[in-house]
Amino acid sequence: MLIQKEKIWSILKEIPDPEIPVISIVDLGIARDVRIEGEKVIVDITPTYSGCPAMNTIEKDIIEKIKETGIERVEINTVFSPVWTTDWLNDEAKEKLREYGIAPPDGKSTDKSLLTGKPKIINCPRCGSKKTVLVSQFGSTACKALYKCESCLEPFDYFKCH
Amino acid sequence: MTDKISKALFEYCLRLGDSPLILGQRLGEWCGHGPILEEDIALTNIALDLIGQSRAFLTYAGEIEAKGRTEDDLAFLRNEREFRNLLLTEQPNGDFAQTMLRQLFVSAFQYYFYSALKLSKDKTLSALAEKSLKEVSYHLRHSAQWVIRLGDGTSESKARLENALDELWKYTGDLFDMDDTDTILIKEGIVPDLNLLREDWLDKISETFGLASISIPENVFMMSGSRKGKHTEHLGHMLSEMQYLQRAFPGATW
């Protein structure tokens, strides 16, 4: 059987992130590369954060979905370079996050104000208000911070610019 | 890579992996005990980042050693004297002030250290440093803000922070200790000279202490020993808990 790269990519595009099921592991930039070596498929993945507990599930999902198509040999290779960044999320993925109730990353990861600057003003993903406050840099998953909207009073997750 | 260099690199990777492992384990003890829900989540988030960093460094250590040891073998099947974590990381959590001050000291060190390690000629270390740096930036910001708030807060919070400082300052010298392993790897451009990071670290601590209205202690005898595996009494107790399952049921899996 001749395995086509495009086919593998189209499978990967259908695999949702386990924590944020509205976007795929390709949207998120977790799936980095696909290589075909004869009968074997190798998929490079990179963790969002070093300790992301979803990585094992993602590996299993990839292997399972590819094997469902009749391919028997699938290998997952974890890479750390180039280092994962939210800059890889495209506008469409950001919009999906917003609709899901997660404020998408604002700005570029090269912004060095993280250490010294004040927390950014993040628009509430529900009502759009700018009157929001940072509750904690650390939210429900490693990649998110917790905010509260002072207009609609809803708490919400912000996907940290990283 | 010569034998001498690969031996030194293995030793160094243990240092890189053990410190986040032990500090991550310590922070995990806060799970369910944080003073407020957000802080419980923050402490365990930081722990998670650290354990993740540790896994990558220990995996690399195993590859360099080339004796088939995995990250798990190195984490769960080594004895106390074989651990190379910084003395600070094994110190007990104490109260919240002690946990946050310990975090500030370690995170500030990691911040400058990873910034320098990013330039390593070793591609794996350089990539892992770049990744870790992003994460410790959050830890540094978080712990510095708490230290300022506690020092500049009530008489109670200030007293607790000062007690923590008495307890922990003596372990900060250990952050910058170097030996032959460092000398070999610095010469190869693989790791940074820690002497060059000391000033940046001290500036960051001084700046934070200034805002927290506390002072750096003077004339304190500095403890050392982590590079040689000489630890304080706390590590052995910690490992007996952390390693219990793999010691009692070797090879047990989920």
Side-chain angles (χ1 to χ4, degrees), chain A residues 3-161:
Chain A
I3 306 170
Q4 286 176 321
K5 260 193 195 184
E6 294 73 29
K7 193 177 154 203
I8 303 297
W9 275 112
S10 66
I11 295 168
L12 296 177
K13 278 179 191 152
E14 295 299 315
I15 299 177
D17 177 81
E19 304 270 12
I20 313 164
V22 284
I23 50 178
S24 79
I25 57 169
V26 175
D27 288 331
L28 259 176
I30 290 173
R32 302 306 307 154
D33 195 21
V34 171
R35 291 188 301 283
I36 316 284
E37 288 177 6
E39 301 279 292
K40 186 167 73 175
V41 175
I42 303 167
V43 180
D44 281 353
I45 58 171
T46 197
T48 54
Y49 282 68
S50 302
C52 179
M55 293 311 286
N56 287 345
T57 310
I58 292 171
E59 283 187 27
K60 264 172 55 189
D61 288 349
I62 294 174
I63 292 171
E64 196 183 295
K65 291 290 168 199
I66 295 179
K67 283 191 172 176
E68 272 175 18
T69 65
I71 295 166
E72 279 170 18
R73 294 175 62 200
V74 185
E75 205 175 284
I76 306 291
N77 180 39
T78 302
V79 296
F80 290 98
S81 185
V83 63
W84 181 83
T85 167
T86 46
D87 297 348
W88 294 341
L89 268 79
N90 59 31
D91 289 344
E92 196 190 335
K94 287 183 182 178
E95 197 43 46
K96 283 184 199 162
L97 285 175
R98 199 192 320 273
E99 281 170 16
Y100 189 60
I102 298 172
D106 182 42
K108 287 277 169 201
S109 64
T110 41
D111 178 4
K112 290 292 172 224
S113 69
L114 174 71
L115 266 190
T116 49
K118 291 181 178 164
K120 282 182 190 156
I121 295 171
I122 303 301
N123 290 7
C124 172
R126 297 180 195 280
C127 72
S129 168
K130 281 187 165 51
K131 279 174 66 186
T132 62
V133 286
L134 173 70
V135 178
S136 174
Q137 283 287 347
F138 301 92
S140 58
T141 65
C143 52
K144 289 177 278 177
L146 188 63
Y147 274 73
K148 193 177 85 179
C149 176
E150 296 196 316
S151 297
C152 70
L153 302 178
E154 287 287 336
F156 65 89
D157 274 333
Y158 165 56
F159 202 112
K160 282 182 277 197
C161 184

Side-chain angles (χ1 to χ4, degrees), chain B residues 24-38:
Chain B
Q25 174 75 9
R26 272 284 182 238
L27 291 173
E29 293 170 13
W30 273 105
C31 188
H33 299 277
I36 49 171
L37 182 61
E38 286 78 7

Side-chain angles (χ1 to χ4, degrees), chain B residues 81-207:
Chain B
R81 281 292 183 101
E82 296 166 278
F83 271 77
R84 295 292 183 264
N85 59 287
L86 294 162
L87 298 179
L88 263 175
T89 59
E90 72 206 31
Q91 297 311 305
N93 287 337
D95 57 14
F96 187 67
Q98 191 166 324
T99 291
M100 274 305 152
L101 188 64
R102 182 186 62 196
Q103 196 62 45
L104 171 68
F105 289 157
V106 177
S107 296
F109 173 76
Q110 288 177 322
Y111 180 79
Y112 296 110
F113 175 76
Y114 288 136
S115 302
L117 188 67
K118 240 170 71 171
L119 308 172
S120 173
K121 280 187 185 161
D122 183 298
K123 292 280 169 276
T124 303
L125 290 188
S126 158
L128 294 178
E130 193 181 352
K131 180 141 202 81
S132 303
L133 178 61
K134 285 186 166 203
E135 293 157 2
V136 302
S137 302
Y138 292 112
H139 309 168
L140 175 56
R141 182 181 177 139
H142 189 73
S143 53
Q145 282 177 343
W146 268 114
V147 165
I148 293 166
R149 210 175 303 173
L150 293 168
D152 195 29
T154 64
S155 55
E156 171 78 13
S157 68
K158 190 186 175 92
R160 283 174 181 253
L161 186 63
E162 283 176 333
N163 282 340
L165 186 55
D166 280 346
E167 195 57 47
L168 297 177
W169 186 255
K170 56 181 171 287
Y171 300 111
T172 57
D174 181 59
L175 293 169
F176 301 98
D177 277 350
M178 291 194 286
D179 61 11
D180 291 347
T181 298
D182 294 76
T183 315
I184 294 166
L185 298 175
I186 290 168
K187 215 176 123 201
E188 299 298 319
I190 296 175
V191 305
D193 182 341
L194 301 183
N195 279 324
L196 305 177
L197 310 178
R198 194 191 289 262
E199 204 170 315
D200 283 337
W201 181 84
L202 206 54
D203 283 351
K204 180 68 192 172
I205 300 301
S206 304
E207 178 202 318

Side-chain angles (χ1 to χ4, degrees), chain B residues 48-63:
Chain B
L48 194 60
D49 284 342
L50 292 172
I51 299 289
Q53 292 164 14
S54 171
R55 290 184 60 184
F57 284 121
L58 290 182
T59 298
Y60 189 48
E63 285 167 19

